Amino acid sequence: MSRSSPSAVLAVDIGGTSVRGAVVLEDGSVRCRRTLSTFGTHRDALASTRLLVASLLEASADVYVRRIGVAAPGTVDPVARTVTRAANLGWRDLPLGELLDAATGVPVVLDHDARAGARAELAGLPVPHPRALVFIPIGTGIAGTLVIDGTPLVGQTNAAGELGHTIVHPGGRLCPCGQRGCLEAYSSARSIAARYHFLSPEGPPRTTEHLVSLLQVDPAAGQAWHEGVDALALAIVNLTAITDGCVVIGGGLGEAGELLLRPLRHRVGELLTWRPVPDIRGSASGPHAALIGAALLALGADADHAAFSGRMLETLSGAPQLDADAGIATATATTTATRSGAS
């Protein structure tokens, strides 16, 4: 499609369970979207990502997709556009940006999913933005991003913000990373559910949503939740001493809202004896933070991020969604040919 056509960006959020994507016009209106299982029949994570991108480009052949923004888990080098390590996806030193460039003919920008999510959260906050913000998405694991004066901290090895692997109980529970006592071993959705099952072994393993519904009636659920909140509060207290920033809780666990935030603020207040409790709030973007952040990454720094992200959030759930099996046979074969004629 020629550059005189309506301009858009393509956003991709790669997770351990699903890969989500959306084509978004310059005003933030979502043109179409799609979700695929990260690991499908005869598909690994890379194949699913390629398929998602190809099918969305094919479905949007009447607009000019000028850039693709990708949010990926693990350790991500945004300059080299490489996923250095993503254990849950089986990736190590994967030049994802280069691979998608070659497959589509569209420029690709890449960043860590928590840094992308932090951009979305910052865009949704009222002006003036806080000088320091910590975004903590909590799901199967726990990530984190520190934003200082509008810029996410990347770190010397592109691994800044791994809050889930800070030690809250030395010598404590074994974490999947191999350390003991990590925050993730106590406060992730997976760990809280596992702790509940340990305390109440007669019942089947519970989802986070089910566990939350039991908080007022099941002592085991209350204890598992309390232990997770307590560990998270300890991590936030330590973080506050360093960052003095606003704290935004996102991810699947963040969907619990005040059932999580109210006891969390209370416990942080008990532990902080000499300074005010930081502003601790839920995510404004909810489960869409990384996808919106990926779109902002592709949009560029000069655009109105607040207006764009607000419009994207408004239109995302109502946008046409491609069927999970649509275009599998033809998407990959036709996209490169379609984009070759774009210029």
Side-chain angles (χ1 to χ4, degrees):
M1 184 55 59
S2 71
R3 298 191 180 190
S4 61
S5 303
S7 182
V9 296
L10 196 162
V12 180
D13 172 22
I14 305 170
T17 303
S18 64
V19 183
R20 305 168 62 215
V23 175
V24 191
L25 299 177
E26 296 281 351
D27 70 347
S29 299
V30 179
R31 183 67 177 270
C32 61
R33 60 196 172 103
R34 191 179 191 189
T35 300
L36 290 176
S37 296
T38 305
F39 298 97
T41 305
H42 309 301
R43 285 202 322 265
D44 60 11
L46 180 58
S48 294
T49 302
R50 282 172 158 163
L51 173 60
L52 179 93
V53 169
S55 61
L56 284 169
L57 288 174
E58 183 182 28
S60 306
D62 59 335
V63 300
Y64 170 59
V65 176
R66 62 181 180 86
R67 193 176 292 126
I68 299 171
V70 181
T75 303
V76 177
D77 184 339
V79 176
R81 302 183 304 157
T82 296
V83 179
T84 309
R85 183 176 184 271
N88 289 342
L89 304 182
W91 291 353
R92 182 176 287 275
D93 297 325
L94 181 74
L96 184 59
E98 181 182 333
L99 292 172
L100 293 178
D101 270 353
T104 66
V106 181
V108 176
V109 284
L110 172 70
D111 207 347
H112 188 271
D113 51 5
R115 289 196 290 265
R119 287 188 175 89
E121 294 302 327
L122 194 66
L125 290 175
V127 177
H129 292 156
R131 293 193 59 192
L133 177 143
V134 182
F135 176 55
I136 308 174
I138 307 175
T140 303
I142 299 177
T145 290
L146 173 60
V147 181
I148 301 293
D149 291 329
T151 302
L153 181 66
V154 177
Q156 185 69 24
T157 63
N158 305 298
E162 289 292 349
L163 184 65
H165 300 294
T166 56
I167 305 299
V168 291
H169 292 296
R173 298 177 195 167
L174 181 65
C175 179
C177 77
Q179 296 180 159
R180 286 194 173 273
C182 288
L183 175 64
E184 188 170 301
Y186 291 84
S187 302
S188 69
R190 174 174 56 189
S191 295
I192 292 174
R195 179 60 172 166
Y196 171 75
H197 188 55
F198 174 82
L199 296 169
S200 182
E202 297 81 10
R206 305 291 187 179
T207 64
T208 303
E209 294 80 4
H210 194 179
L211 192 148
V212 167
S213 73
L214 298 175
L215 290 179
Q216 304 304 319
V217 297
D218 187 336
Q223 181 178 339
W225 191 258
H226 171 78
E227 291 175 2
V229 169
D230 191 71
L232 181 59
L234 182 58
I236 289 175
V237 166
N238 291 331
L239 198 60
T240 298
I242 300 169
T243 66
D244 190 27
C246 168
V247 178
V248 178
I249 307 294
L253 204 68
E255 294 296 290
E258 287 299 318
L259 288 173
L260 171 65
L261 298 176
R262 190 180 301 111
L264 180 61
R265 295 187 192 105
H266 178 75
R267 184 58 179 148
V268 169
E270 288 181 333
L271 294 170
L272 278 176
T273 59
W274 62 277
R275 63 187 301 163
V277 176
D279 178 5
I280 302 175
R281 62 176 69 191
S283 164
S285 304
H288 309 304
L291 187 65
I292 294 173
L296 292 174
L297 192 66
L299 191 68
D302 296 332
D304 185 344
H305 282 198
F308 179 92
S309 61
R311 180 63 178 161
M312 185 173 174
L313 190 59
E314 287 175 4
T315 60
L316 186 59
S317 60
Q321 178 156 292
L322 301 186
D323 183 81
D325 297 320
I328 290 178
T330 60
T332 302
T334 61
T335 298
T336 302
T338 301
R339 294 293 149 183
S340 297
S343 58

